[in-house]
Amino acid sequence: MCGTQLYKSGILGVWFSIMTACSATVEPQTLEPEVLPPNHFSEMQIRSDFEALHEGLKNAHIDLYAHQEKDAYEDKYSEMLASFDGPQTLLHIQTEFQKFAAFGNVGHARIEF
């Protein structure tokens, strides 16, 4: 079939309509990585590491909730996770992670500088 026959049969017209609609709604995305100042980490990096810290604490302790109620611990986790809303320095991140590890009042849960 030539292009005219496809268009007349509706196949080309449907395809063209779909492609036009799709191209109008898709916005180009930049694939360039975010450039951060030295010694800074992105929100995504911080949150990923904080989630790993949270899981690590839960997996490493026989009774993580011995000195803090589970709900209080989870509320603190959610609150702190939400506070990582942009790039931050390593010192700030370490300090915040230490605060979270110390929240449980478990003597051997610490983060070294």
Side-chain angles (χ1 to χ4, degrees), residues 15-67:
W15 179 84
F16 181 78
S17 297
I18 291 170
M19 294 308 294
T20 303
C22 289
S23 66
T25 59
V26 174
E27 295 182 20
Q29 296 180 358
T30 60
L31 299 176
E32 296 178 21
E34 183 179 7
V35 178
L36 298 173
N39 215 24
H40 281 69
F41 295 86
S42 72
E43 174 183 340
M44 187 174 74
Q45 290 171 311
I46 300 165
R47 287 180 176 213
S48 175
D49 284 356
F50 192 66
E51 289 169 5
L53 171 63
H54 184 236
E55 288 301 312
L57 288 170
K58 289 193 299 187
N59 293 331
H61 290 279
I62 293 171
D63 187 8
L64 181 62
Y65 310 111
H67 304 289

Side-chain angles (χ1 to χ4, degrees), residues 89-99 110-113:
T89 66
L90 179 59
L91 179 61
H92 180 77
I93 297 163
Q94 287 175 316
T95 303
E96 293 302 301
F97 282 28
Q98 284 182 347
K99 289 177 186 177
R110 67 180 185 272
I111 298 172
E112 302 292 335
F113 271 99

